[in-house]
Every structure is written in C-alpha cells, then in structure tokens.
Amino acid sequence: MTAELVRGQNHTLPQTRLEIRISAGAPVVAGATLGDEHGTVHGVERIAHPGSPQLPGLEVSRQAAAEHRLAVDLDALPEGVHRVTVLLALPLEAGGPARFGAVAAPFVAVTGLEGTEIATFTLTGLDSESAVAALELYRRHGAWKVRAVGQGYAGGLAAMLADQGVDRAAELAGSIQEAVALGLARSVSPPPPRTPEGDRVRHPARPAPAQGGGQPPAGQPPAGQPPAGQPPAGGHPRAGQPPVGPPAARQPEPPAAVPSGPIDYAHPRRQSAAPPPPPPAAPPAGPGQPAQPVAGDATGWSMDERLYNQIWGMFEDLARATAAYRSAVDFAESRMDQELERTLSDPRSRIGGAGDLAREQARAKRDELTGRAREALDRDLAQLAAESAVVEPAMPAPYAGWDNPVWHAYRVPMEIPMALRIGDLHLPESAALRIPLLVRLPLERGIWIDSGRTASEAAALTDSDQLHRLAMESAVLHAARLLAVYPAGEFSVHVIDPAGSASAALAPLVRSGVLAGPPASGAGGVSSVLAQLTRRVDLVQMAIRAGAADSLPPDLDPAEQLLIVNDFPHGFDDRAVNQLRYLADEGPSVGVHLLMVADREDASAFGPVLDPLWRSLLRITPVADDHLADPWVGHAWTYEPLATPPGSRVLELVLDRVAAARRGGPR
C-alpha cells in the first residue's frame, strides 16, 4: 500500500533499488546530494546534477524537464553516505517561472523498479522559493527510510547547497544552471501534456515498453472546453502527447461574445465535443497475435492531427522502451559485480574451482537477465516497426521524406499544416527504426545547421569544405519545405551570403524565383537585410502592444519571414551581430525566423556574447550526429538530415509549383 506522506513524515523502505519519479507543472532541475549522518555534503563529488548526472548508486536527469526519473541503488552508495537528499530547482531561463508559487505543486513518488509506488509526497505551500529539498532517503539503525522534507529556499540553489555545507555553493549553482541551459538548447521541444480523453487505442495484445513505462504526465482539460490558453490536445496511451488543435496561424475566429479571462481557441461548434476517436485497429493476424497497426491511431480532428499525435507517441514509446532495456542491462551488470565481489571476498573461494564456478554462475545470471530484457525490447521494436511501415506511406507532404511519392503529386496548400518534418531520429539499439522529427508551425525557435566538425563518425569522414557545402544544401532543402507547406504568398525567404560562397547551393531557390530578393552579399547587403527585418519586428511588436494591428505600413510584408544566414559571422560587424541576436530572440513571436549555417568555432572571437544566440536555436547537422535529446528520458538520439534521392528532380518540381502559385498560375 502506498504511503501518502506529509511534510516531516517518514516511511520505511522495503527495498534498496528504487526510482524517484518527479512531476512538476513546469520544467525543473532535479538533483541529489549524498550526505553523512549529519546531512553534511563533503565536496562537489557527492552531488549529482545535470552537469554530473552519475554517482555510484545514483543517477539523475541530464536536463530540466517537467518529469524526471532518478535511479537509486542504496547498496551501491559510497561508504559513509547516510542521507540522499533529492533537490528541485527552477532553471534560470528567460520567460520561465521564477518561484515555485507560480507553478503547480511538484509531486514526488518513490517506487520500486517495477513501478509500484512505495511513498508519495506533494510539495504544497511553496511561494517565493526557487529551490526546494523535496525528500530524503536516510539510514537509521541499519535500515533505510524516506522522509518528506519540502524545505524551500528563496535564495535558490546556492542557498540550498550552502545549507548542506557545500563550499563555494554559489559557484557550483552557477555551473549547474549553465549545464541546464546547454541541455535545454540541445533538447527536442516536448509536446504539451495530453488531455485525459486523448488516448490512442489500447490494443490488448500490444506489449507496452514496459520496464520503462510508468505513469503518464498530468493531463489538461478535455478538448473543446476552455483550457488556460491552450488548444485542444490529443493523446497516447503510455506517454505525454502533443497538441492536436490548430496552430496559432490557422485558429478559427472566436464566437461573437468574447468572455473575459483566458482565450478559448476551441472551435465555437465544438465546445462540448471531444475529438473524434481513432479509427478501429485492424483485426489480429491470428490467435494470440497483436492487432495490426493502422495509420492515424490517435485522436484528432483530422488525419494530419492523428498522424502527428501517433508519431509523437511512437517517439516516446521508443524512448521509454530503450530506457527500460538499458536499465535492465545496468541492473544485470551491477548484480553480477556484487555477486563476484561477495564471492571473491571469501578467501575460501580462491582455493579449488569454487571461484571459477561462482564467476560462471554470476555471468550466466547476467546473460539470462539481459537476454530477457532484449527479448522484451525486440517485441516492442517489432511492433513499432510495423506501425512505422503503415504510417510512413500515409504521411502528408509536410511530414513525408523527399523520397515519398506524395511530393510528386504536390499542390500548393490552402492553409499551413500543424508541423514540418526536418529529419529523422534513431537510437543505437534500433538503428533501422527511424522516427520523423517534427517541429510545430509556425516555428517557435530558429534553426542552426552546424557546419563545424563534430565528434560523430560521419563528420570525421567528411572534410571541412564538404561539411559546409552539405550544410548549405540542407538549409536550401529546409527552406524549400517551408515554402512548399505554406499557402502562396504567406512565406518569404531572404538570404545573407556575405562572400557569395553559397551560390551553387542556392541555385534552386534563385533559379525558381521564390526568394524575396537576390542573396545579399557584402557588408552593405548584410546591413540592409538585417535593418529591414529588424524594422518589421519593431513595427509588429508596437502594433500588437497598441492593439492596432490594422495600422501597419502598407509596404510591410505580412507573410512569415525566413532569414537564411550563410557563413556567420563573416561579414558581420558588432551592430549586425546585435541585430541578429535581436531577431533570434524577438522574431519568432512576430513571424521572423532564422536558419543559420555556421561553425561555432568561427565565432569564437565574440566569446560568451553569442552563447544566448546558440542556445536559442535548435541545432541540427548536415551529417548523422547523436547530439539531440528527447524530452522524456534524455537519450542521445542520432539525427539524420533529409535528402532528395540521387538523380531526383523533386526539389525543382516543388519549387516550380510554388513559384507558379505566387505568380497566380496553377497550383
């Protein structure tokens, strides 16, 4: 039976291998300290945090998130550790909450490895605090217990660490927040929480990715009811789910009578209706066989919404299934090490064949456990592969790869889609299973295509000039996809190419006539384009603040704007750099987006001035690289850029039709 703790209450722990699950109303930093019997932490090597997530017997998340899972093995903790304190802190990100009183009360659960809750604690009563000691695991008379603490600190992470006796606490807190900022920059943006009604169909014969499954995050109000400024959302049976409501650019007009309070973006004729259910699954292939997957196995108002939700569900399924497998393998290795250590610590086992027999038995148990874990993973992978095989051909153009036949029947759309595919993701355990990486439209952050040499094998085999050429070709493909999925005249592309070095890569855009103007070169061209877009951001922001959106100058292009920047920072003076930073920070909210091709090493002369710029952009690469993290368990995913098939003219076909639609010709 689960013990629901209140502040100060304790409960005996029945086992020593545990998970600590954290749910919060906003992204939080999760960490833990290892203290002695008095709670004193002796050095930074006894603190697990996103910059140093693993200690003996303890592992925490590598980034800030609304949900965390901390792994604890009390038997494997360093000698002299009597207390494990779980810490939560708000990240110092722009626009984020500055105190726990502004977010929902965090919830912490101590569970066994199989997910059974042992004790839970809801941290109520927090107000001005930005850091809190949530709970502690402590040893008393040889037995481990959990105590609900809930001690908040208005002085933040530094004050909390100092209270535990950590030297130079402020400096350490700063380094932790820096690691968190870097983690946020590399993370794929998570989908907002799902509604309780928004589940995909549960097929009884389909195994959940199970050892790593766990509880889904808290839901939101049902679709069609007035949520707090959020569109209606769909869902997924084992995981958080992205929204299925229309993006901001295509929201329908509200009813004639507009109530006060949060804006209701729901369709006026859908106020009391939940999204239509997913289509029924195909019948099982035979007795005892799993149900056949179908495309659109998620809730939503349209097939595009259902596919979008289904893809995010597959993404999370694969993340959690792989996390379960890795956890099981780690457990098997740890158990074997402990058994060998106990055996070899007995001098009698070193005489005769007893020691060799013990080693063989320990390895056999390890192999059995890892084999069972791999079987479970393979079952999940087979089901996800079958699902991918039916989803991929059903994708509309914005979600499809360039090799999908849907592009050969392309027509310019009448409205923007929910999302756009910008690449594929996969994990080492399942390299053949690719998950489409979808980003919501309109873009919420800019994109940086890193043309520098990374640590990946693909980058090591590619010379610097070829990396830069591939990066610029990738930028052209992304720009073409954006132009293709917007209605005619609703998306404009500008290019800054200071030295004219990208003329070959830009040829498809220039030849088709889809650019807003010729690529800008030289210092004068750079200055002119940046001034034009900066003016647009300023005017739109002023009009919005003044409630006078209809009074914008007639020469202002109302379309969404994309600025492609090649070879940054070449050709940029200090003023131009500041303007670019301004566009990256303020542009997305008013329809101005960045697509940068740059090597960070080339901008090293600017020092930390540009750090906020790099962190504000979604970094992708022109070759395969494992730098992106999922928002659930923080796996390092290999990103694969999209490419047109060799010899294909699909890019020219699509751009010609976009250009014809802009001229008023056939779509």
Side-chain angles (χ1 to χ4, degrees):
M1 181 176 179
T2 303
E4 297 182 3
L5 305 181
V6 297
R7 188 174 278 107
Q9 189 177 0
N10 60 45
H11 182 73
T12 300
L13 294 172
Q15 58 198 85
T16 57
R17 287 184 60 83
L18 307 163
E19 271 195 347
I20 299 175
R21 302 181 180 184
I22 299 164
S23 297
V28 297
V29 182
T33 60
L34 305 181
D36 59 17
E37 60 271 19
H38 304 294
T40 303
V41 179
H42 297 282
V44 296
E45 66 276 5
R46 293 291 177 95
I47 304 173
H49 57 82
S52 178
Q54 290 184 320
L55 295 178
L58 179 64
E59 183 174 2
V60 304
S61 304
R62 297 174 181 269
Q63 61 194 63
E67 292 198 353
H68 293 272
R69 292 188 179 192
L70 282 58
V72 181
D73 184 351
L74 297 173
D75 290 335
L77 293 174
E79 187 177 354
V81 172
H82 289 259
R83 189 177 301 181
V84 180
T85 304
V86 177
L87 314 176
L88 304 180
L90 294 171
L92 301 179
E93 57 176 328
R99 58 188 184 90
F100 275 106
V103 301
F107 173 81
V108 184
V110 180
T111 76
L113 295 183
E114 73 287 353
T116 303
E117 289 186 347
I118 299 169
T120 64
F121 175 41
T122 302
L123 285 77
T124 58
L126 298 176
D127 186 12
S128 61
E129 300 89 344
S130 59
V132 60
L135 55 76
E136 63 183 16
L137 314 178
Y138 65 99
R139 181 158 46 190
R140 182 68 53 84
H141 303 304
W144 284 93
K145 297 184 177 183
V146 57
R147 177 188 291 123
V149 179
Q151 174 63 54
Y153 295 83
L157 193 56
M160 181 166 54
L161 293 173
D163 192 40
Q164 296 188 34
V166 179
D167 293 332
R168 303 172 69 179
E171 182 178 334
L172 176 60
S175 67
I176 293 174
Q177 292 288 2
E178 177 68 18
V180 170
L182 293 174
L184 289 172
R186 65 185 284 269
S187 175
V188 178
S189 298
R194 63 181 177 88
T195 63
E197 289 89 346
D199 289 347
R200 280 169 67 195
V201 170
R202 289 180 182 268
H203 304 315
R206 174 173 179 172
Q211 306 107 312
Q215 300 296 321
Q220 339 178 64
Q225 295 182 10
Q230 295 288 339
H236 186 261
R238 293 178 296 281
Q241 186 62 35
V244 298
R250 46 187 274 232
Q251 289 160 356
E253 295 183 2
V258 181
S260 59
I263 300 174
D264 178 7
Y265 289 107
H267 194 288
R269 291 189 296 276
R270 295 176 181 164
Q271 292 298 310
S272 60
Q289 297 296 316
Q292 298 300 305
V294 295
D297 183 12
T299 56
W301 291 108
S302 68
M303 188 61 173
D304 288 4
E305 291 172 328
R306 290 175 175 177
L307 287 169
Y308 176 75
N309 287 350
Q310 187 172 14
I311 291 166
W312 269 98
M314 294 166 60
F315 186 13
E316 183 166 0
D317 276 358
L318 182 54
R320 296 203 185 278
T322 304
Y325 170 71
R326 293 179 181 179
S327 177
V329 171
D330 289 344
F331 171 72
E333 293 286 350
S334 174
R335 176 174 172 174
M336 182 186 70
D337 292 342
Q338 291 175 14
E339 290 180 353
L340 289 176
E341 184 178 355
R342 284 196 299 268
T343 299
L344 296 176
S345 64
D346 184 356
R348 292 173 296 179
S349 66
R350 303 172 192 171
I351 302 173
D356 293 338
L357 179 61
R359 277 189 285 269
E360 290 177 6
Q361 291 175 341
R363 293 191 181 105
K365 290 180 182 177
R366 185 270 314 271
D367 293 343
E368 180 187 0
L369 290 173
T370 56
R372 290 208 304 262
R374 185 70 211 194
E375 288 176 4
L377 177 64
D378 287 342
R379 285 195 301 269
D380 292 330
L381 293 181
Q383 186 65 22
L384 286 170
E387 193 169 7
S388 177
V390 299
V391 168
E392 191 74 39
M395 288 185 184
Y399 302 175
W402 286 111
D403 57 349
N404 192 309
V406 70
W407 283 107
H408 294 281
Y410 166 76
R411 293 292 183 270
V412 177
M414 300 299 293
E415 60 180 12
I416 70 170
M418 290 185 62
L420 181 73
R421 185 174 185 167
I422 63 170
D424 293 330
L425 299 172
H426 65 86
L427 290 170
E429 290 84 354
S430 53
L433 179 58
R434 307 298 174 95
I435 302 295
L437 175 56
L438 303 181
V439 294
R440 288 297 299 265
L441 294 180
L443 294 172
E444 298 173 352
R445 62 194 293 197
I447 297 174
W448 163 33
I449 303 178
D450 189 352
S451 60
R453 187 173 298 281
T454 64
S456 71
E457 181 180 355
L461 298 175
T462 310
D463 62 50
S464 298
D465 292 340
Q466 188 179 5
L467 275 175
H468 186 81
R469 177 180 60 79
L470 291 173
M472 199 60 208
E473 290 175 355
S474 181
V476 170
L477 290 176
H478 289 305
R481 291 177 74 88
L482 283 163
L483 285 163
V485 302
Y486 272 78
E490 292 191 17
F491 198 85
S492 297
V493 178
H494 309 260
V495 177
I496 289 179
D497 184 20
S501 60
S503 56
L506 291 168
L509 297 177
V510 175
R511 185 168 49 245
S512 61
V514 295
L515 294 178
S521 59
V526 172
S527 176
S528 174
V529 172
L530 291 176
Q532 174 187 347
L533 293 177
T534 301
R535 171 178 176 267
R536 184 189 187 283
V537 172
D538 289 339
L539 290 175
V540 174
Q541 284 185 336
M542 287 189 291
I544 292 174
R545 284 195 293 265
D550 295 335
S551 62
L552 290 168
D555 65 330
L556 191 77
D557 184 2
E560 297 272 317
Q561 309 288 312
L562 177 71
L563 173 60
I564 302 176
V565 178
N566 179 44
D567 249 357
F568 177 82
H570 300 297
F572 281 72
D573 56 20
D574 289 345
R575 175 180 172 82
V577 168
N578 287 332
Q579 287 177 314
L580 193 69
R581 287 182 55 192
Y582 176 71
L583 292 178
D585 292 339
E586 304 294 334
S589 63
V590 291
V592 177
H593 313 285
L594 283 185
L595 178 55
M596 288 182 54
V597 175
D599 180 354
R600 189 168 182 173
E601 289 298 318
D602 293 342
S604 58
F606 288 92
V609 172
L610 290 180
D611 286 352
L613 172 65
W614 304 120
R615 288 198 295 264
S616 70
L617 304 173
L618 173 63
R619 174 177 170 257
I620 57 178
T621 51
V623 294
D625 189 83
D626 59 349
H627 66 283
L628 287 176
D630 66 76
W632 300 287
V633 293
H635 291 318
W637 292 72
T638 297
Y639 167 82
E640 293 271 3
L642 299 176
T644 55
S648 171
R649 294 186 54 81
V650 64
L651 178 62
E652 290 79 1
L653 169 69
V654 169
L655 290 176
D656 287 345
R657 290 182 179 171
V658 169
R662 290 186 168 205
R663 294 191 298 266
R667 296 171 180 264

